[in-house]
Amino acid sequence: MAGLEVHIGDLKLKNPVMTASGTFGYGTEYADFIDLGRLGGIFVKGTTLAPRQGNDYPRMAETPSGMLNAVGLQNKGVDYFVEHLYPVIKDYDTHMIVNVSGSTVEDYVACAEKLADLDKMPAIELNISCPNVKEGGMAFGTSCQSAAQVTREVRKVFPKTLIVKLSPNVTDVTEIARGVEDEGADAVSLVNTFLGMAIDVESRRPKLSTITGGLSGPCIKPIAIRMVWEVFHAVKIPIIGMGGICNWQDAIEFILAGATAVQIGTYNFIDPAASVKIIDGIHDYLERHQIASVNDLVGKMIVQ
Amino acid sequence: MAGLEVHIGDLKLKNPVMTASGTFGYGTEYADFIDLGRLGGIFVKGTTLAPRQGNDYPRMAETPSGMLNAVGLQNKGVDYFVEHLYPVIKDYDTHMIVNVSGSTVEDYVACAEKLADLDKMPAIELNISCPNVKEGGMAFGTSCQSAAQVTREVRKVFPKTLIVKLSPNVTDVTEIARGVEDEGADAVSLVNTFLGMAIDVESRRPKLSTITGGLSGPCIKPIAIRMVWEVFHAVKIPIIGMGGICNWQDAIEFILAGATAVQIGTYNFIDPAASVKIIDGIHDYLERHQIASVNDLVGKMIVQ
Amino acid sequence: MQVLDFTVRSNETLNDQNHLIKVAPAGNEVLPEMQPGQFVQILVDNSPHVFLRRPISINFVDKEKNEIWLLIQKVGEGTEKICAIPEGGTMNLIYPLGNSFTLPERKGKYLLVGGGVGTAPMLFLGKEMKERGIDPEFLLGGRSSKDILQRSDFERYGTLHCTTEDGSLGEKGYVTHHSVLKEKKYDYIYTCGPKPMMVAVAKYAHDHGIECEASLENLMACGFGACLCCVEKTVRGNICACTEGPVFNINQLTWLD
Amino acid sequence: MQVLDFTVRSNETLNDQNHLIKVAPAGNEVLPEMQPGQFVQILVDNSPHVFLRRPISINFVDKEKNEIWLLIQKVGEGTEKICAIPEGGTMNLIYPLGNSFTLPERKGKYLLVGGGVGTAPMLFLGKEMKERGIDPEFLLGGRSSKDILQRSDFERYGTLHCTTEDGSLGEKGYVTHHSVLKEKKYDYIYTCGPKPMMVAVAKYAHDHGIECEASLENLMACGFGACLCCVEKTVRGNICACTEGPVFNINQLTWLD
Ligand SMILES: Cc1cc2nc3c(=O)[nH]c(=O)nc-3n(C[C@H](O)[C@H](O)[C@H](O)COP(=O)(O)OP(=O)(O)OC[C@H]3O[C@@H](n4cnc5c(N)ncnc54)[C@H](O)[C@@H]3O)c2cc1C
Ligand SMILES: Cc1cc2nc3c(=O)[nH]c(=O)nc-3n(C[C@H](O)[C@H](O)[C@H](O)COP(=O)(O)OP(=O)(O)OC[C@H]3O[C@@H](n4cnc5c(N)ncnc54)[C@H](O)[C@@H]3O)c2cc1C
Ligand SMILES: Cc1cc2nc3c(=O)[nH]c(=O)nc-3n(C[C@H](O)[C@H](O)[C@H](O)COP(=O)(O)O)c2cc1C
Ligand SMILES: Cc1cc2nc3c(=O)[nH]c(=O)nc-3n(C[C@H](O)[C@H](O)[C@H](O)COP(=O)(O)O)c2cc1C
Ligand code: FES
Ligand code: FES
């Protein structure tokens, strides 16, 4: 039996396959399709201090091998999460990790503080890379200084595993990764969506109400893998890789590039059982190649 | 008859459809397929001061809706171009524009100087965004300061139309665009390829000899359009847009976002006659929508 | 909700744009309970440009034959490819999705208004009503006679009124101009079709104090509540059209504001 | 070079992996002159994952029927989709591409060595030789008997030697172990197949002072000299395999360095 267990900070994941924030609801949406207990972890929807209505419709446009979204962090706020959602999901047989978003450092800190108290919430993912909100969001993730600052402040109030989710919309992702590592992040996850845009040529209007939105799906995979590989050579903390993963081959590609674990995002919409198939696929790959543990593959792309 | 003529600096293009450097050879490669005289212009292969062998094989990997390349500016050098290629192509009934690349500012300047002397060479495109060479290349295009510097120095020796080709691998493309505008660039072209990577999971080796390479094709279109739109609102000089254009709809999308002209790149490989079909398609679109000139569409995406 | 492979039992070309496709579970699994108004998400194979699934209403459920009917209009590459699947071919569905029309608890005058391919869910709804002892009336609109699809099927379950823009069938004009709307007083209107038509119907219902439900066709990425892309602005804020819709009581919507 | 739609006249399944597809210009255009060693670039429709065209050798040209034959091994999505095009279906080609094998000017002993689907261009080459009054010998290798394709076609143009890895046809082992290589002295060897095989053949030819040409299968984006992706490292530097190849004299290559 090939070993699938991996560690991210204090988190022990039964396997390296998790689902990406904003693409998997609170897990419950997928309970009809898969046994949630098989997953390494579930990153729940981006959660903010105050409730948010998100952006206006239309929020979605299909693009070649991908999609743009402009959801804009629609959620009922952290208090609602703590009171009504956490009690439902806390007993799932997998790690539930909240993706924390905000417009100010104070927002992030207040939100993280409330989540720190929850017994069964072993980690949070700081979303400093959402391209779909007017204030804050991606702005935090595209400057080294503000990325470091928000990490530092949240670190003070959140003693459990702190994952910082990086934006790919930057010249040098390693700089930001090192910045948040220095401030005590236990892991980085990457990539969030790329800022993109689409226009309906007949109506001459933008396809999204917000004009620009976040690009995800297989189209971004080559760039995401490059960034994971760059970050792997820049930091010591583990990396959670994502961006267009559809099958076990894609997942292995990220792992070889340096990801200790992966998240499946947009492809869940197309095949709600994709994550579980990917776990099986990684397992079979390890057996076929007689590799004892998936950890032995992390960053092990053969150069020369 | 809808008007297709557009101006880029001193250049009068009979229509806004040109072909992208590195994807169209010296035009001759396509002479069997189309009447080259129909094109608005042809950007010939990246040319450097000294001859270059380019990178080792393999230089190409297919990706979802796109491809990675690592050609690495293989070319016979500017002197060979001037002596052997220019005489062949100078009488084509379209604008031939050399894409000038280099590793040092001196290289760019020396190369531009030699081209400035050629009668039928009305413009050059400064490639400060090639991700496939070890030194220089993209490094110039990802820092505002070096982009400005190389533009300034080349401007001194090249009095004709100077187009600077921007890299998309940056946090803020408008900053670079403004930088080169300030130094006297007559136009900017964008985008060059995105730095990406792919791994063969069975052999565990990178698919490119250089590990990373440049991503092009429809996959990058949404990001490219967003960048054109951003730059359109940041500079006054005209923009030549590109990135994944396959058909007239894509071309119109770039024009609505702010491009005065477009370049067709990777898709030439799949349909060598694509550029001419796109010219016809734009013409028909203008007629159908009763728009007198393509200039009336530039940046005219309707917001609200 | 489940993901299941279906076999195309038949694929009938109704006119140049529309196909009626009947599918049954490939493994002969017995179909679950489904409600009128619900939809399926179809995986589009073999298309270089279609990445996401395509939502299509359940047009009819034939319990005896264990078949789902899908009425599909070709408007782009996704629907083109779906309509090109031959008899015997496979189609992967996520289903059943969404809420449903409110089925009547008591007798009354029910009008089911469909425009274009928006007539699709009305057939299933009409059948369910008929089985509950209600005689629904249908009011279907299209550009011309050939666009009013499945007429004999509709007639099996209730009275059929039609409008066509060119007057080639029924009354000339739009559905909201049909004389029955002036002559009769309905208790409940259900509608599905192009947005402008539904808005006009909603306005009529609102003005006449008639309860009205509309089935929306918002753009969807997942179809089962995971992406929050399909939201409709309602009096309760942004609500997912794929889970809390596609059917909304028009009182919930902000169309008439 | 031209871009042209072809009609699939027949699509024959040779074994679990290989198809022989015969195509003719859809508009009945007369085929241009083509040379053995040249190839076509096939547009792969209906595949979400295949973006670039796929290069395939010209297996044979039937001038009378105005047909090109393509011998295709299914190794991934592109070749799978090509092999799935039914009789009567359409295939868009850019052709003819590349240089060609040097056709003999004088009599002599010519050996054509093919491995796997690399036998494809050898049939066309053999036919052209035969028509020039030369009797080529073929040496074909595969894993087992069923992998040695088009045997009767080859036998029409020359003597056929075979090796199979399992010994089910001809001699057991690899082509370079075949006894004819020990028994006979050839003047010229042409080869196409998996790289390790071609390197072994090149080494044999080199060691025995035999002229040798090999047809390469480098990864290609365009196929007509525009992208510079397909380069082979030669004694003259990086050279495009699609225009100055795919056929190279082994003296030009750096394989044996
Ligand atoms: C709940 C629901 C039920 C539906 N039921 C049916 C049905 O029973 N039969 C049927 O034929 N269609 C139905 N539709 C619409 C159908 O999903 C779309 O026509 C289809 O997704 C278009 O895909 P395509 O690839 O063919 O076209 P695309 O190439 O994606 O689009 C072609 C054009 O149609 C527009 N378009 C695409 N989808 C929509 C949409 N949902 N709303 C408005 N404009 C759109 C695009 O903007 C574009 O202009 C339903 C939609 C929903 C949400
Ligand atoms: C000039 C030329 C002539 C050719 N002639 C024939 C022919 O007559 N018949 C035939 O069946 N094939 C031929 N090939 C090979 C054929 O082009 C590839 O097998 C095909 O492109 C693979 O496409 P795919 O989508 O099926 O596989 P993919 O999914 O693209 O690839 C499947 C696997 O095959 C590998 N692969 C793909 N292409 C190549 C290649 N060119 N070289 C080495 N490995 C590769 C990939 O790395 C991958 O591991 C020729 C290639 C060239 C360059
Ligand atoms: C509809 C949608 C909503 C998303 N919402 C969030 C979010 O709330 N927080 C976040 O950090 N990332 C969000 N993401 C980004 C994904 O988590 C992921 O980083 C990205 O989609 C890239 O992975 P993929 O290509 O596998 O989808 C969202 C993505 C999509 C498509
Ligand atoms: C094979 C290949 C070679 C290229 N070579 C050059 C080059 O020499 N100089 C340059 O500025 N851009 C080069 N490019 C980038 C293109 O000109 C273009 O900017 C990019 O491919 C995006 O457009 P596309 O998606 O339409 O291809 C090359 C692209 C490809 C695919
Ligand atoms: S379509 Fe994804 S939530 Fe409705
Ligand atoms: S494949 Fe493009 S140059 Fe050879």
Side-chain angles (χ1 to χ4, degrees):
Chain A
M1 263 297 286
L4 289 177
E5 189 178 291
V6 299
H7 296 193
I8 302 282
D10 291 335
L11 273 182
K12 283 192 178 57
L13 307 176
K14 62 180 91 165
N15 65 61
V17 179
M18 306 193 274
T19 53
S21 177
T23 69
F24 213 71
Y26 297 93
T28 37
E29 291 80 352
Y30 288 83
D32 274 12
F33 303 118
I34 59 167
D35 171 4
L36 298 172
R38 289 211 54 206
L39 296 174
I42 296 174
F43 287 74
V44 307
K45 178 75 202 144
T47 301
T48 50
L49 188 58
R52 296 179 65 108
Q53 276 295 319
N55 295 316
D56 284 349
Y57 180 85
R59 293 179 171 183
M60 191 274 281
E62 198 176 30
T63 65
S65 297
M67 66 177 276
L68 289 162
N69 89 81
V71 172
L73 298 176
Q74 175 173 344
N75 80 102
K76 297 191 168 154
V78 67
D79 289 333
Y80 184 92
F81 174 82
V82 171
E83 271 169 58
H84 297 99
L85 299 170
Y86 174 71
V88 178
I89 67 178
K90 74 179 173 41
D91 294 326
Y92 284 145
D93 183 23
T94 183
H95 292 299
M96 303 296 298
I97 300 169
V98 173
N99 176 268
V100 173
S101 304
S103 303
T104 65
V105 175
E106 292 70 37
D107 281 5
Y108 281 104
V109 171
C111 199
E113 224 165 352
K114 292 187 188 223
L115 295 166
D117 296 340
L118 304 178
D119 258 16
K120 297 270 181 76
M121 182 60 55
I124 57 171
E125 179 179 52
L126 267 199
N127 175 10
I128 57 167
S129 42
C130 179
N132 290 325
V133 290
K134 281 219 183 68
E135 283 155 32
M138 195 177 95
F140 284 103
T142 53
S143 129
C144 200
Q145 204 186 327
S146 56
Q149 188 202 358
V150 61
T151 307
R152 179 164 60 240
E153 298 304 324
V154 171
R155 180 76 290 179
K156 289 180 191 162
V157 302
F158 193 81
K160 305 188 222 174
T161 299
L162 177 62
I163 303 161
V164 180
K165 185 164 180 181
L166 305 180
S167 172
N169 300 292
V170 295
T171 309
D172 183 1
V173 68
T174 64
E175 191 185 275
I176 319 269
R178 267 190 298 254
V180 305
E181 177 183 42
D182 288 346
E183 297 297 346
D186 297 306
V188 285
S189 55
L190 63 152
V191 298
N192 208 318
T193 53
F194 287 75
L195 200 58
M197 182 171 152
I199 306 172
D200 182 289
V201 297
E202 293 303 322
S203 70
R204 284 177 243 166
R205 288 173 192 282
K207 288 194 176 173
L208 300 175
S209 69
T210 46
I211 306 180
T212 61
L215 183 65
S216 63
C219 55
I220 66 170
K221 196 184 66 166
I223 318 181
I225 290 174
R226 183 262 298 177
M227 291 188 168
V228 165
W229 183 76
E230 286 178 344
V231 171
F232 180 72
H233 292 279
V235 301
K236 295 204 176 58
I237 53 178
I239 297 165
I240 303 171
M242 79 197 89
I245 299 178
C246 299
N247 51 41
W248 63 264
Q249 287 94 333
D250 296 337
I252 298 278
E253 218 178 328
F254 273 89
I255 294 169
L256 289 168
T260 297
V262 295
Q263 290 179 22
I264 319 302
T266 307
Y267 204 69
N268 289 308
F269 304 156
I270 291 136
D271 181 1
S275 49
V276 170
K277 292 179 188 165
I278 291 171
I279 298 169
D280 294 339
I282 295 176
H283 178 266
D284 293 349
Y285 176 91
L286 295 174
E287 301 263 294
R288 189 154 47 82
H289 286 267
Q290 300 185 303
I291 297 166
S293 154
V294 66
N295 292 289
D296 299 336
L297 277 185
V298 176
K300 292 290 161 52
M301 179 178 79
I302 303 168
V303 181
Q304 285 321 322
Chain B
M1 261 296 287
L4 288 177
E5 188 178 292
V6 299
H7 296 194
I8 301 281
D10 292 334
L11 272 183
K12 282 192 180 52
L13 306 177
K14 62 180 93 166
N15 65 61
V17 179
M18 306 193 274
T19 53
S21 176
T23 68
F24 212 71
Y26 296 93
T28 38
E29 291 80 352
Y30 288 82
D32 273 12
F33 303 118
I34 58 168
D35 170 4
L36 297 173
R38 289 212 54 207
L39 296 174
I42 295 174
F43 286 75
V44 307
K45 179 74 202 145
T47 300
T48 49
L49 188 59
R52 295 180 64 108
Q53 275 297 317
N55 296 314
D56 284 348
Y57 181 86
R59 293 178 173 186
M60 191 274 281
E62 198 175 31
T63 65
S65 297
M67 65 176 277
L68 289 164
N69 89 79
V71 171
L73 298 177
Q74 175 174 342
N75 79 101
K76 296 192 167 155
V78 68
D79 290 333
Y80 185 92
F81 174 83
V82 171
E83 272 168 59
H84 297 99
L85 299 171
Y86 174 72
V88 178
I89 67 178
K90 74 179 173 41
D91 294 326
Y92 284 144
D93 182 24
T94 184
H95 292 300
M96 302 297 297
I97 300 169
V98 173
N99 176 269
V100 173
S101 303
S103 303
T104 64
V105 175
E106 292 70 36
D107 282 4
Y108 280 103
V109 172
C111 200
E113 225 165 351
K114 295 187 187 222
L115 294 167
D117 296 339
L118 303 179
D119 259 14
K120 297 269 180 78
M121 183 59 54
I124 57 172
E125 180 180 52
L126 267 199
N127 175 9
I128 58 166
S129 42
C130 179
N132 290 325
V133 289
K134 281 221 185 67
E135 283 154 32
M138 194 177 96
F140 283 103
T142 54
S143 130
C144 201
Q145 204 187 325
S146 55
Q149 188 201 358
V150 62
T151 307
R152 180 164 58 240
E153 298 304 324
V154 171
R155 181 75 288 180
K156 290 179 190 160
V157 303
F158 193 80
K160 305 188 219 174
T161 299
L162 177 61
I163 303 161
V164 180
K165 185 162 179 182
L166 306 181
S167 171
N169 298 292
V170 295
T171 309
D172 183 0
V173 68
T174 64
E175 192 184 272
I176 319 269
R178 267 190 298 254
V180 305
E181 177 184 42
D182 289 346
E183 299 297 347
D186 297 306
V188 285
S189 56
L190 63 150
V191 298
N192 209 317
T193 53
F194 286 77
L195 199 59
M197 181 172 153
I199 307 172
D200 183 290
V201 298
E202 293 303 322
S203 71
R204 282 177 244 166
R205 289 174 191 280
K207 288 194 176 172
L208 300 175
S209 69
T210 46
I211 304 180
T212 62
L215 183 65
S216 64
C219 55
I220 66 170
K221 194 184 66 165
I223 317 181
I225 290 175
R226 184 261 299 176
M227 291 187 167
V228 165
W229 184 77
E230 287 178 344
V231 170
F232 180 71
H233 292 280
V235 301
K236 295 203 179 55
I237 52 179
I239 298 164
I240 304 172
M242 80 198 87
I245 299 179
C246 300
N247 50 42
W248 63 263
Q249 288 94 333
D250 296 337
I252 298 278
E253 218 177 329
F254 274 88
I255 294 169
L256 288 169
T260 296
V262 296
Q263 291 179 22
I264 319 303
T266 307
Y267 204 69
N268 290 308
F269 304 156
I270 291 135
D271 181 1
S275 49
V276 169
K277 292 178 188 167
I278 291 170
I279 297 169
D280 294 339
I282 295 176
H283 178 266
D284 294 349
Y285 176 90
L286 294 174
E287 301 263 295
R288 190 155 47 82
H289 287 268
Q290 301 185 301
I291 297 167
S293 154
V294 67
N295 292 289
D296 299 336
L297 276 185
V298 177
K300 292 289 163 49
M301 179 178 77
I302 304 169
V303 181
Q304 283 323 319
Chain C
M1 294 190 296
Q2 52 176 304
V3 188
L4 199 67
D5 273 340
F6 280 71
T7 302
V8 172
R9 287 266 181 86
S10 67
N11 180 340
E12 196 185 334
T13 307
L14 301 185
N15 62 26
D16 52 342
Q17 283 215 305
N18 292 278
H19 283 234
L20 177 64
I21 302 179
K22 299 181 180 175
V23 300
N28 291 319
E29 295 87 345
V30 175
L31 290 173
E33 273 306 307
M34 286 171 275
Q35 303 297 325
Q38 290 193 299
F39 66 96
V40 304
Q41 275 275 56
I42 307 181
L43 185 68
V44 180
D45 262 334
N46 301 334
S47 169
H49 306 113
V50 182
F51 175 59
L52 299 164
R53 288 178 183 256
R54 292 297 187 259
I56 298 291
S57 301
I58 297 173
N59 173 230
F60 194 78
V61 178
D62 185 334
K63 284 196 184 151
E64 257 167 52
K65 295 192 175 156
N66 205 39
E67 283 177 358
I68 298 176
W69 297 10
L70 306 168
L71 185 70
I72 302 178
Q73 182 182 14
K74 295 187 278 181
V75 300
E77 188 159 327
T79 46
E80 292 273 1
K81 294 281 171 183
I82 294 168
C83 289
I85 304 177
E87 199 181 305
T90 301
M91 192 189 277
N92 184 274
L93 303 186
I94 305 182
Y95 83 110
L97 300 170
N99 70 354
S100 56
F101 291 106
T102 311
L103 280 173
E105 308 254 298
R106 54 184 177 76
K107 302 246 163 179
K109 291 183 96 65
Y110 295 91
L111 184 68
L112 282 54
V113 185
V117 77
T119 57
M122 294 305 163
L123 184 64
F124 187 20
L125 177 60
K127 174 211 173 210
E128 292 290 314
M129 287 187 164
K130 181 81 176 179
E131 285 181 359
R132 279 170 175 70
I134 288 168
D135 292 310
E137 291 179 40
F138 301 102
L139 171 54
L140 310 183
R143 271 159 311 173
S144 78
S145 144
K146 69 171 184 30
D147 299 316
I148 312 281
L149 309 167
Q150 302 182 297
R151 291 204 291 268
S152 57
D153 292 307
F154 278 107
E155 280 165 349
R156 211 174 308 137
Y157 303 114
T159 315
L160 182 58
H161 311 285
C162 296
T163 62
T164 50
E165 291 173 38
D166 65 359
S168 54
L169 185 78
E171 298 183 10
K172 184 171 170 150
Y174 294 117
V175 284
T176 40
H177 301 141
H178 198 281
S179 53
V180 289
L181 292 180
K182 277 167 217 123
E183 291 156 13
K184 298 195 185 172
K185 168 90 179 110
Y186 294 95
D187 301 311
Y188 218 108
I189 295 179
Y190 302 89
T191 185
C192 183
K195 179 115 182 232
M197 181 204 87
M198 289 199 289
V199 173
V201 171
K203 197 168 150 33
Y204 169 86
H206 178 82
D207 291 349
H208 293 76
I210 304 169
E211 287 281 303
C212 178
E213 288 181 0
S215 179
L216 275 50
E217 297 203 347
N218 289 6
L219 292 170
M220 295 182 175
C222 69
F224 49 85
C227 74
L228 309 188
C229 286
C230 61
V231 289
E232 180 66 21
K233 195 179 208 162
T234 71
V235 293
R236 293 181 294 134
N238 286 329
I239 298 288
C240 280
C242 71
T243 49
E244 302 194 48
V247 179
F248 288 89
N249 190 301
I250 59 158
N251 295 331
Q252 294 292 304
L253 301 175
T254 54
W255 290 357
L256 305 178
D257 296 357
Chain D
M1 293 189 295
Q2 51 176 305
V3 187
L4 199 67
D5 273 340
F6 280 71
T7 302
V8 172
R9 287 266 181 87
S10 68
N11 181 339
E12 194 186 337
T13 307
L14 301 184
N15 62 25
D16 52 342
Q17 283 214 305
N18 294 278
H19 282 234
L20 176 64
I21 302 180
K22 299 182 181 175
V23 300
N28 290 319
E29 296 87 346
V30 175
L31 291 173
E33 274 305 307
M34 286 171 275
Q35 303 297 326
Q38 290 192 299
F39 65 98
V40 302
Q41 275 276 55
I42 307 180
L43 185 68
V44 180
D45 261 334
N46 300 332
S47 169
H49 305 113
V50 181
F51 175 60
L52 300 164
R53 287 178 183 256
R54 293 297 188 259
I56 296 292
S57 302
I58 297 173
N59 174 228
F60 194 78
V61 178
D62 185 333
K63 285 195 184 152
E64 258 169 52
K65 295 191 175 158
N66 204 39
E67 283 178 358
I68 298 177
W69 297 11
L70 305 168
L71 185 70
I72 302 178
Q73 182 182 14
K74 294 187 279 183
V75 300
E77 190 160 325
T79 46
E80 294 273 1
K81 294 280 170 184
I82 294 169
C83 290
I85 304 176
E87 199 180 304
T90 300
M91 193 189 274
N92 182 275
L93 303 186
I94 305 182
Y95 83 109
L97 300 170
N99 69 355
S100 56
F101 289 105
T102 310
L103 279 174
E105 309 254 302
R106 53 181 180 78
K107 302 246 163 182
K109 291 183 95 62
Y110 294 90
L111 184 67
L112 281 54
V113 186
V117 76
T119 56
M122 295 304 163
L123 184 64
F124 187 20
L125 177 60
K127 175 210 171 210
E128 292 289 315
M129 288 186 162
K130 180 80 177 180
E131 286 181 359
R132 278 170 176 69
I134 288 167
D135 292 310
E137 291 179 40
F138 301 103
L139 171 53
L140 309 183
R143 270 159 313 172
S144 76
S145 142
K146 69 171 183 32
D147 300 315
I148 312 281
L149 308 168
Q150 302 182 295
R151 290 204 293 268
S152 57
D153 292 308
F154 278 108
E155 280 165 349
R156 213 173 308 137
Y157 302 114
T159 314
L160 182 56
H161 312 284
C162 296
T163 62
T164 50
E165 290 172 39
D166 66 359
S168 54
L169 184 79
E171 296 184 11
K172 185 172 169 148
Y174 293 117
V175 283
T176 39
H177 302 142
H178 197 283
S179 52
V180 287
L181 292 179
K182 275 169 219 119
E183 291 157 12
K184 298 195 183 170
K185 169 90 178 108
Y186 294 96
D187 300 310
Y188 217 107
I189 294 179
Y190 302 89
T191 183
C192 183
K195 178 114 184 233
M197 182 204 88
M198 289 199 288
V199 173
V201 171
K203 196 169 152 30
Y204 168 86
H206 178 83
D207 292 350
H208 294 75
I210 305 170
E211 286 281 302
C212 178
E213 289 180 358
S215 179
L216 276 50
E217 298 203 345
N218 289 6
L219 292 170
M220 294 183 177
C222 68
F224 47 85
C227 74
L228 309 187
C229 286
C230 60
V231 290
E232 180 67 21
K233 194 178 207 162
T234 71
V235 293
R236 293 179 295 134
N238 285 329
I239 298 288
C240 280
C242 71
T243 48
E244 302 195 47
V247 179
F248 288 90
N249 189 303
I250 60 159
N251 295 332
Q252 294 293 305
L253 302 175
T254 55
W255 289 359
L256 304 178
D257 295 355

